[in-house]
Amino acid sequence: MVKNLWNEQDAQSFLDNAGPEEADRQLALRVYTSRLIGQDPDMVMHGGGNTSVKVKRANIFGDEIDVLHVKGSGWDLETIEAAGLPGVQIEPLNKLRELPALSDEDMVNLQRSNLLDSTSPNPSVETLLHAYIPHKFVDHTHATAMLALANMPNVEEVVKEIFGDKVALVPYIMPGFELAKVAADIFDQNPNVEGLHLINHGHFTFGPDAKSSYELMVEHVSAVEAWFNARAAQPAAAPSSTISAKSILPKIRASLARAMKAHTGNQDQAAPFLDLRANDQFLSFLTRDDLGDLAKRGVATPDHVIRTKGFPTIIASDDQASVDAAIDAFVESYKAYFARQDARVSDKKTMLVPTPNLFWVPGLGLIGAGANASAARIAADLGTQTIQVMEWAEANSGFYPIKEDDLFDMEYWSLEQAKLGKAKPKPLQGKAVLVTGGAGAIGLATAKAFKDQGANIFLVDRDQDSLMTALGSLGMDHDGAVIDLCSAEGPQQAVDAMVRRFGGIDILVSNAGAAWSKSMLDMDQDTLRNSFELNFFSHQKIAQAAAKVMQVQGAGGQILFNVSKQAVNPGKDFGAYGLPKAATFFLVKQFALELGELGIRVNGVNADRIRSGLLTNEFIESRSKSRNISAESYMAGNLLKREVEASHVADAFVALALSARTTAHIMTVDGGNIEASLR
């Protein structure tokens, strides 16, 4: 059941921060309840749904006018602020209701021309519907239970059973002017209703204040959930997993990349990210006898198609040929669908990349695919919601969403087509980057540098607290794992964890290391062997594991090693560190030689005197005192007379990653050290 999250103290806090202006105070409460709705995934997901409030404000001439604050494009209810609810003059919107027809473009233009602030985002495409409902506060959601109800053939009968005359039904019409007019006419015929249920779409509630409108939505959704739960079918026992994530995800990624390259003609096309969801509910659902039929039914609510495409792809085997066949079949089916529909609308649409964004894998789970980790996560979230919608609806009169014509009209909506090609991706968008020693100074700086270029990061470190702090600084859609790379299975576990999280690996930054200080005469075998385990063998083993995944993906990749100047310019009493680093220096060359034909580039960075776990403040003080110089002078002891920082090493790793035709190269980052120069 959805929970009523209204809290009087929290509401009062929003009011206190809004100031004395009544319109601002009402807008503050609108922000508050919008966030309450947005933070509950059973109520609304990923930018879906919209909210509004009607207020009175003085215009620039001092005249009082009616204003609608409605959710703006690009804002999410979970995190919305006042700026995400642009104000629009209501009177011109009401005049539109007299028109017999209105294009989407003209509607958007009129809404923008009546914004109080011309820099505001575009108001919601459902702005007119909000304007025409006369209540002060209006809430619209795509709650999971409401979508199950909205897609059942006997929706009218069930709405009557649950709500009596308190909710009016609205037939499916694509969002925009026509829907607003029809919904407003239905409301006018039923002015005492407390909600509108939009068939194949979602639900509206409204009221005189923020609390009553929000609480009505909670009450309505809870009532529908209770109705479904009372009739829920007993789930089948979930079978044990027969396909592993590490065996199938890189193959799906490889097949998708191949199909995408064939469509775009771009041989450097980034492979999509994958987001796996595996639990007993999914595994049970994927045993259904009617799975193939359900996969062809469609989406839970129309705007899902923009994120997930119309249908999932079922993959029943982790054999590469089976994966390829399933994806190729989807591509051919999608092309035929586009050709049929483009001929119907005669509008010269631009076909989207015809690859699937959702997969059902019996024995494993549900997989979302997207251009980056965020897009894959959203696809998986929406796919998860759809499974629940299907289960509830199928346990009753069935799941029957919008048909092909309506699906295409939403997927190829002119307002969506206008956005194509406008957003230029960052250079490393679509790249999954694994960084070892990720919580350390160089590792975290490197992770942030790759993130800034659009990559998604997976950190590996052996310290839990440090890793959690590091991940917190990266934000959502980056991840990591606590793994000891010196353990026998550690390097393979790191790569497997990366694959399970993102579907594969594009760039490995093998950075983990530690220095042992002892003279060669006094060095015991355990010290040297321990250093080799971390500073050489962990690098060799994780690069080997990563390269095998890259080989399956078939799209090349990059392996970057943190080598160190010790490999070519040994320091006194640092033999235990320099010897394995010298071996790693050679490893760069050997891997580059053997992996080049696979399109895998292998490079390294030689850095010196970087403040990190290797070069602590205590060590710096000790070294500077022994030389009778300041710590600052010691750290700037190079040709440039400038301290080299972790960010400079990170920039070198990124530069190598962006150097598309460079392999077997070592980049020196030490401010200038002739003794350590390579040539």
Side-chain angles (χ1 to χ4, degrees):
M1 292 292 181
V2 296
K3 294 181 179 179
N4 185 339
L5 301 175
W6 177 277
N7 180 283
E8 290 292 346
Q9 289 183 328
D10 291 342
Q12 187 60 49
S13 177
F14 273 80
L15 285 172
D16 292 344
N17 291 327
E21 179 70 35
E22 181 60 22
D24 291 339
R25 292 170 67 81
Q26 295 301 306
L27 179 58
L29 288 176
R30 176 71 286 174
V31 170
Y32 173 57
T33 53
S34 297
R35 290 184 184 180
L36 296 185
I37 292 170
Q39 66 187 261
D40 186 343
D42 284 328
M43 194 81 86
V44 70
M45 301 183 80
H46 299 300
N50 35 73
T51 58
S52 68
V53 60
K54 299 176 181 74
V55 300
K56 292 186 178 294
R57 291 189 181 276
N59 64 16
I60 196 170
F61 303 108
D63 301 323
E64 188 174 70
I65 59 172
D66 292 318
V67 173
L68 174 74
H69 283 280
V70 64
K71 183 196 162 200
S73 176
W75 283 84
D76 194 304
L77 292 181
E78 183 178 7
T79 56
I80 200 163
E81 299 174 5
L85 290 151
V88 192
Q89 296 183 65
I90 293 180
E91 185 179 357
L93 304 183
N94 287 333
K95 286 183 179 179
L96 289 177
R97 194 173 173 185
E98 302 169 7
L99 298 177
L102 181 70
S103 72
D104 291 331
E105 289 75 14
D106 285 343
M107 179 185 69
V108 170
N109 183 58
L110 184 131
Q111 289 174 179
R112 282 210 62 81
S113 65
N114 283 281
L115 287 168
L116 300 191
D117 181 351
S118 64
T119 65
S120 296
N122 282 345
S124 166
V125 71
E126 289 173 319
T127 292
L128 296 182
L129 202 163
H130 283 264
Y132 298 163
I133 293 174
H135 289 273
K136 186 178 184 68
F137 284 83
V138 179
D139 292 331
H140 170 45
T141 77
H142 300 153
T144 306
M146 291 305 188
L147 295 184
L149 177 59
N151 288 297
M152 287 176 13
N154 65 337
V155 56
E156 183 175 3
E157 172 190 327
V158 178
V159 166
K160 191 76 172 176
E161 177 185 341
I162 297 173
F163 297 109
D165 296 327
K166 294 190 295 184
V167 170
L169 275 179
V170 179
Y172 176 74
I173 300 170
M174 193 167 162
F177 176 67
E178 184 183 356
L179 173 61
K181 287 188 66 173
V182 170
D185 289 344
I186 290 172
F187 178 87
D188 289 347
Q189 296 164 19
N190 305 271
N192 295 321
V193 296
E194 56 188 33
L196 295 176
H197 193 70
L198 278 56
I199 294 176
N200 298 132
H201 184 156
H203 195 74
F204 276 82
T205 58
F206 22 78
D209 54 70
K211 184 179 182 182
S212 62
S213 183
Y214 165 70
E215 289 187 335
L216 262 181
M217 182 63 74
V218 172
E219 178 185 324
H220 284 195
V221 175
S222 296
V224 176
E225 277 194 15
W227 189 90
F228 278 118
N229 287 333
R231 295 159 177 77
Q234 188 67 27
S240 58
S241 180
T242 57
I243 299 175
S244 71
K246 68 179 181 180
S247 71
I248 196 171
L249 295 184
K251 293 173 184 175
I252 293 176
R253 209 166 179 242
S255 190
L256 285 173
R258 174 184 53 80
M260 292 169 74
K261 288 175 183 177
H263 175 73
T264 65
N266 177 13
Q267 292 308 300
D268 295 321
Q269 172 83 46
F273 277 70
L274 303 179
D275 192 312
L276 171 65
R277 305 296 171 85
N279 60 33
D280 286 347
Q281 180 190 10
F282 297 152
L283 293 176
S284 174
F285 174 83
L286 295 174
T287 65
R288 294 178 64 112
D289 294 336
D290 59 350
L291 195 66
D293 174 56
L294 283 175
K296 298 174 184 176
R297 293 279 183 87
V299 293
T301 191
D303 62 354
H304 280 195
V305 70
I306 297 166
R307 304 276 198 169
T308 67
K309 295 284 203 317
F311 312 98
T313 293
I314 298 174
I315 299 180
S317 169
D318 62 359
D319 176 73
Q320 186 70 66
S322 298
V323 173
D324 289 344
I327 290 174
D328 288 345
F330 182 96
V331 169
E332 291 307 309
S333 175
Y334 189 91
K335 288 179 177 178
Y337 150 76
F338 178 83
R340 285 193 304 273
Q341 291 297 323
D342 197 42
R344 175 181 68 86
V345 300
S346 302
D347 200 21
K348 301 285 185 185
K349 301 288 188 182
T350 300
M351 186 170 72
L352 304 171
V353 177
T355 51
N357 288 352
L358 272 178
F359 297 88
W360 291 349
V361 184
L364 182 64
L366 173 147
I367 302 167
N372 51 37
S374 174
R377 170 175 54 82
I378 291 171
D381 283 347
L382 298 179
T384 297
Q385 184 185 40
T386 298
I387 284 179
Q388 181 63 77
V389 169
M390 286 180 170
E391 286 192 318
W392 271 338
E394 283 293 298
N396 293 280
S397 61
F399 172 72
Y400 294 95
I402 59 173
K403 301 300 183 182
E404 181 177 294
D405 289 359
D406 292 320
L407 190 73
F408 184 86
D409 289 344
M410 176 59 74
E411 187 174 9
Y412 284 87
W413 196 2
S414 60
L415 300 184
E416 291 296 327
Q417 285 271 296
K419 299 176 184 177
L420 295 180
K422 287 190 175 181
K424 183 178 180 181
K426 292 184 177 181
L428 293 176
Q429 178 174 304
K431 300 300 183 184
V433 181
L434 172 58
V435 182
T436 68
I442 293 175
L444 183 55
T446 299
K448 290 179 177 179
F450 275 97
K451 174 194 171 185
D452 289 345
Q453 295 297 320
N456 289 99
I457 315 299
F458 193 90
L459 301 181
V460 169
D461 204 278
R462 63 183 181 181
D463 184 81
Q464 174 78 29
D465 292 341
S466 298
L467 179 66
M468 291 302 102
T469 299
L471 288 173
S473 70
L474 293 178
M476 185 176 284
D477 296 316
H478 307 280
D479 213 329
V482 176
I483 295 173
D484 181 2
L485 295 176
C486 291
S487 66
E489 300 301 323
Q492 185 64 56
Q493 289 172 351
V495 172
D496 289 348
M498 170 79 164
V499 169
R500 186 175 184 87
R501 179 62 182 84
F502 291 140
I505 180 171
D506 299 303
I507 301 172
L508 166 66
V509 182
S510 191
N511 166 72
W516 280 262
S517 177
K518 187 174 287 188
S519 71
M520 294 302 295
L521 286 178
D522 297 329
M523 190 181 304
D524 57 275
Q525 286 295 299
D526 286 345
T527 297
L528 188 58
R529 289 181 184 279
N530 288 339
S531 183
F532 262 91
E533 281 296 334
L534 177 58
N535 294 309
F536 174 74
F537 285 112
S538 74
H539 293 266
Q540 180 266 327
K541 287 191 276 189
I542 198 168
Q544 184 182 56
K548 288 181 178 179
V549 173
M550 293 175 186
Q551 183 179 27
V552 172
Q553 293 173 164
Q558 299 178 59
I559 298 174
L560 299 166
F561 291 98
N562 188 344
V563 179
S564 170
K565 76 97 182 179
Q566 291 288 335
V568 293
N569 180 211
K572 184 178 180 182
D573 295 339
F574 271 87
Y577 182 57
L579 285 167
K581 284 297 185 181
T584 303
F585 182 96
F586 184 84
L587 191 67
V588 173
K589 306 289 186 178
Q590 194 67 36
F591 267 130
L593 176 66
E594 297 183 13
L595 299 179
E597 63 184 12
L598 299 175
I600 300 173
R601 299 191 289 112
V602 186
N603 296 294
V605 171
N606 275 0
D608 187 27
R609 294 192 187 182
I610 313 296
R611 294 180 190 268
S612 65
L614 302 182
L615 203 61
T616 64
N617 289 335
E618 292 77 10
F619 180 87
I620 294 169
E621 288 295 332
S622 172
R623 286 281 167 146
S624 59
K625 284 182 179 179
S626 69
R627 289 165 171 75
N628 200 28
I629 57 176
S630 67
E632 290 73 20
S633 296
Y634 173 75
M635 293 303 294
N638 53 52
L639 298 180
L640 298 178
K641 303 301 181 187
R642 302 285 298 276
E643 180 176 344
V644 182
E645 300 173 2
S647 62
H648 300 128
V649 182
D651 290 343
F653 280 127
V654 170
L656 288 168
L658 293 172
S659 300
R661 295 297 181 266
T662 298
T663 192
H665 178 64
I666 304 293
M667 181 180 288
T668 299
V669 184
D670 60 8
N673 179 354
I674 292 299
E675 290 80 4
S677 58
L678 300 181
R679 293 183 181 177

XYZ file of all heavy atoms in Angstrom, residues 233-241 279-288 363 391:
155
model
N -3.206 -13.542 -7.985
C -2.939 -14.959 -8.220
C -1.729 -15.396 -7.418
O -0.822 -14.598 -7.147
C -2.699 -15.197 -9.705
N -1.694 -16.654 -7.033
C -0.550 -17.191 -6.303
C 0.624 -17.323 -7.256
O 0.514 -17.986 -8.289
C -0.903 -18.561 -5.709
C 0.150 -19.134 -4.773
C 0.300 -18.327 -3.490
O -0.641 -17.680 -3.053
N 1.481 -18.356 -2.904
N 1.757 -16.691 -6.964
C 2.897 -16.776 -7.891
C 3.484 -18.182 -7.937
O 3.456 -18.915 -6.943
C 3.904 -15.783 -7.305
C 3.559 -15.712 -5.854
C 2.067 -15.879 -5.778
N 3.994 -18.530 -9.102
C 4.661 -19.820 -9.247
C 6.002 -19.786 -8.528
O 6.590 -18.722 -8.318
C 4.864 -20.121 -10.727
N 6.469 -20.948 -8.146
C 7.781 -21.026 -7.494
C 8.859 -20.583 -8.464
O 8.854 -20.969 -9.639
C 8.040 -22.442 -7.012
N 9.774 -19.754 -7.981
C 10.855 -19.260 -8.835
C 11.875 -20.356 -9.055
O 12.357 -20.978 -8.099
C 11.516 -18.051 -8.193
N 12.224 -20.645 -10.305
C 13.227 -21.682 -10.560
C 14.618 -21.179 -10.234
O 14.856 -19.978 -10.128
C 13.075 -21.927 -12.061
C 12.649 -20.598 -12.606
C 11.757 -20.004 -11.541
N 15.544 -22.089 -10.070
C 16.934 -21.693 -9.864
C 17.475 -21.113 -11.161
O 17.036 -21.472 -12.260
C 17.782 -22.895 -9.434
O 17.704 -23.918 -10.408
N 18.413 -20.182 -11.035
C 18.959 -19.509 -12.206
C 19.724 -20.485 -13.085
O 20.516 -21.288 -12.614
C 19.882 -18.366 -11.767
O 20.408 -17.714 -12.885
N 14.978 -11.048 -9.150
C 14.405 -11.458 -7.865
C 13.374 -12.552 -8.123
O 13.081 -12.905 -9.269
C 13.799 -10.272 -7.108
C 12.675 -9.596 -7.874
O 11.923 -10.236 -8.616
N 12.543 -8.289 -7.704
N 12.812 -13.094 -7.061
C 11.886 -14.217 -7.204
C 10.647 -13.845 -8.010
O 10.104 -14.674 -8.752
C 11.474 -14.738 -5.825
C 12.587 -15.518 -5.142
O 13.570 -15.857 -5.832
O 12.475 -15.781 -3.936
N 10.172 -12.587 -7.868
C 8.992 -12.181 -8.627
C 9.252 -12.255 -10.122
O 8.438 -12.785 -10.890
C 8.559 -10.762 -8.254
C 7.313 -10.309 -9.029
C 6.988 -8.833 -8.859
O 7.781 -8.081 -8.307
N 5.839 -8.409 -9.351
N 10.394 -11.722 -10.552
C 10.716 -11.748 -11.976
C 10.896 -13.181 -12.471
O 10.403 -13.560 -13.535
C 11.982 -10.939 -12.263
C 11.867 -9.481 -11.946
C 12.980 -8.745 -11.599
C 10.648 -8.836 -11.989
C 12.884 -7.397 -11.302
C 10.533 -7.489 -11.701
C 11.655 -6.767 -11.352
N 11.643 -13.971 -11.707
C 11.906 -15.344 -12.126
C 10.601 -16.130 -12.232
O 10.427 -16.952 -13.137
C 12.864 -16.015 -11.153
C 14.298 -15.452 -11.138
C 15.134 -16.124 -10.067
C 14.951 -15.613 -12.505
N 9.681 -15.881 -11.299
C 8.379 -16.547 -11.357
C 7.587 -16.065 -12.574
O 7.024 -16.879 -13.322
C 7.596 -16.263 -10.075
O 6.279 -16.769 -10.152
N 7.547 -14.765 -12.796
C 6.819 -14.202 -13.934
C 7.341 -14.779 -15.244
O 6.560 -15.087 -16.162
C 6.965 -12.680 -13.935
C 6.374 -11.997 -15.134
C 5.020 -11.709 -15.191
C 7.179 -11.636 -16.213
C 4.464 -11.088 -16.303
C 6.638 -11.010 -17.324
C 5.275 -10.736 -17.375
N 8.656 -14.947 -15.341
C 9.267 -15.400 -16.592
C 9.064 -16.879 -16.860
O 9.530 -17.399 -17.886
C 10.759 -15.051 -16.597
C 11.068 -13.545 -16.586
C 12.563 -13.294 -16.449
C 10.530 -12.870 -17.849
N 8.352 -17.574 -15.973
C 7.986 -18.980 -16.221
C 6.592 -19.105 -16.821
O 6.152 -20.218 -17.113
C 8.041 -19.806 -14.916
O 7.036 -19.315 -14.003
C 9.407 -19.725 -14.263
N 5.886 -17.996 -17.002
C 4.506 -18.046 -17.485
C 4.403 -18.700 -18.865
O 5.261 -18.471 -19.740
C 3.912 -16.639 -17.555
C 3.738 -15.945 -16.226
C 3.179 -14.550 -16.428
N 1.836 -14.605 -16.994
C 0.728 -14.237 -16.341
N 0.810 -13.812 -15.086
N -0.452 -14.299 -16.931
N 15.037 -17.475 -16.146
C 16.128 -18.043 -15.367
C 17.108 -17.015 -14.868
O 17.964 -17.331 -14.039
N 0.914 -8.449 -14.177
C 0.483 -9.503 -13.259
C -0.875 -9.179 -12.645
O -1.754 -10.038 -12.560
C 1.536 -9.719 -12.167
C 2.774 -10.431 -12.658
C 3.673 -10.883 -11.520
O 3.850 -10.107 -10.565
O 4.194 -12.006 -11.581
